[in-house]
């Protein structure tokens, strides 16, 4: 089984976010980048298939040379090969088109993507990719077992879980729950050394249109001050809600 894991290169959640060029561009100065957490769950699940069922695991990113440390970290975790599509990931459709070409050229049976990246939170790419390559698709996937051509997938739905049977080729939009958080892997020294020798192939993008464009970014309004009152002072609470917050 050939597995391709899509890796997004995203800011660490502790980074301070700023914008430039009249709030039309994200300011990357001083920002630490990491593997998108939803993709990290997927990569760990892919490693399980490699170790238990002999699958091969490649990783792919659509981005510039600055994303290569993130791909090298994926190799250090245990992926066999890395592919970087040398393009600026402008919108979801454009990225899906680039990934579709990689999947078609590589003949992958299973594509694991995060259900969304934690920077733009678009959540579009996995579904678009599945449509472009005519593969089955399971989103918000939190469980995945494969026996031969038969796939059992569990996905999160409102208020519960849904178990489905499907077949390969398959694209999933994975998330937290696909593996236990305690099973996520940190590259060790041997893995880091081996990653330096593993292939990282750079391919040029295919022609694709952009269907969406970000016009402007805005930060959320800062939270106001918090007033603490004693738990048994209901009168004070009612007074503040009525006269200050105007909520009642």
């Amino acid at each position: 089984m050939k597995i391709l894991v899509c890796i997004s290169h995203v800011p660490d959640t502790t980074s301070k976010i700023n914008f430039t060029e009249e709030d039309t561009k994200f300011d990357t100065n001083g920002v630490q980048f990491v593997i998108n957490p939803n993709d990290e769950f997927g990569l760990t699940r892919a490693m399980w298939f490699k170790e238990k069922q002999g699958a091969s695991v490649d990783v792919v990113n659509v981005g510039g040379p600055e994303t290569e440390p993130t791909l090298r970290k994926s190799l250090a975790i245990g992926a066999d090969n890395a592919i970087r599509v040398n393009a600026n990931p402008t919108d979801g459709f454009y990225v899906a088109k680039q990934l579709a070409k990689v999947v078609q050229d590589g003949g992958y049976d299973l594509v694991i993507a995060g259900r969304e990246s934690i920077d733009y939170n678009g959540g579009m790419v996995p579904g678009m990719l599945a449509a472009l390559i005519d593969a089955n698709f399971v989103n918000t996937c939190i469980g995945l077992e494969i026996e031969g051509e038969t796939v059992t997938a569990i996905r999160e739905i409102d208020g519960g879980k849904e178990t489905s049977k499907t077949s390969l080729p398959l694209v999933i939009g994975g998330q937290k729950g696909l593996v236990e958080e305690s099973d996520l892997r940190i590259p060790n020294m041997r893995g880091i050394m081996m990653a330096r020798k593993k292939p990282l192939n750079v391919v040029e993008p295919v022609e694709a249109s952009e269907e969406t464009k970000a016009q402007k970014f805005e930060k959320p309004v800062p939270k106001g001050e918090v007033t603490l009152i004693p738990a048994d002072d209901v009168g004070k609470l009612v007074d503040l809600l009525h006269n200050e917050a105007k909520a009642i």
Side-chain angles (χ1 to χ4, degrees):
M1 180 168 60
K2 291 189 68 175
I3 302 174
L4 181 68
V5 182
C6 304
I7 300 292
S8 289
H9 174 76
V10 300
D12 189 289
T13 52
T14 60
S15 300
K16 291 185 177 179
I17 302 301
N18 291 300
F19 304 109
T20 61
E21 300 182 30
E22 299 182 348
D23 294 335
T24 60
K25 302 289 183 184
F26 173 56
D27 184 1
T28 59
N29 288 323
V31 174
Q32 179 73 31
F33 284 83
V34 297
I35 299 174
N36 180 47
N38 287 319
D39 303 341
E40 198 169 2
F41 285 106
L43 178 58
T44 303
R45 189 60 184 163
M47 295 312 304
W48 189 92
F49 286 122
K50 176 181 177 179
E51 294 163 0
K52 304 294 183 182
Q53 299 181 204
S56 64
V57 178
D58 294 353
V59 291
V60 62
N61 167 263
V62 179
E66 71 279 2
T67 70
E68 292 190 3
T70 298
L71 285 173
R72 287 288 178 198
K73 182 179 178 183
S74 303
L75 292 171
I77 288 173
D80 300 302
N81 303 285
I83 302 162
R84 179 172 67 81
V85 180
N86 188 31
N88 181 24
T90 48
D91 81 332
F93 182 72
Y94 181 87
V95 171
K97 287 281 287 186
Q98 306 309 321
L99 295 176
K101 181 66 165 59
V102 172
V103 174
Q104 289 162 345
D105 288 348
Y108 295 98
D109 306 293
L110 172 65
V111 180
I112 301 178
R115 68 177 174 88
E116 63 180 2
S117 60
I118 64 164
D119 47 5
Y120 292 98
N121 300 101
M124 298 180 285
V125 172
M128 288 180 175
L129 173 59
L132 288 169
I133 63 173
D134 195 26
N136 295 318
F137 176 53
V138 178
N139 202 20
T140 61
C141 189
I142 55 173
L144 187 66
E145 300 289 345
I146 300 174
E147 292 292 336
E149 294 294 315
T150 302
V151 178
T152 303
I154 303 172
R155 72 184 187 100
E156 188 175 80
I157 59 174
D158 287 343
K161 302 175 183 177
E162 178 186 77
T163 301
S164 303
K165 292 281 188 183
T166 184
S167 59
L168 301 174
L170 172 69
V171 177
I172 71 162
Q175 62 175 52
K176 182 179 179 179
L178 195 55
V179 296
E180 296 294 331
E181 208 160 350
S182 58
D183 290 335
L184 293 176
R185 302 183 181 193
I186 300 173
N188 56 31
M189 185 54 67
R190 183 170 180 271
I192 294 171
M193 297 300 289
M194 291 179 64
R196 295 178 179 176
K197 300 178 181 178
K198 291 182 178 178
L200 196 164
N201 300 310
V202 179
V203 299
E204 294 304 313
V206 296
E207 186 174 347
S209 60
E210 299 172 9
E211 302 298 322
T212 58
K213 183 177 182 181
Q215 297 292 319
K216 188 176 182 181
F217 298 101
E218 294 179 23
K219 292 183 179 181
V221 176
K223 293 181 179 178
E225 293 183 359
V226 175
T227 300
L228 297 177
I229 59 174
D232 57 353
D233 194 349
V234 178
K236 180 68 173 177
L237 175 62
V238 172
D239 177 63
L240 289 173
L241 289 173
H242 182 68
N243 296 310
E244 188 172 309
K246 308 294 186 184
I248 58 175

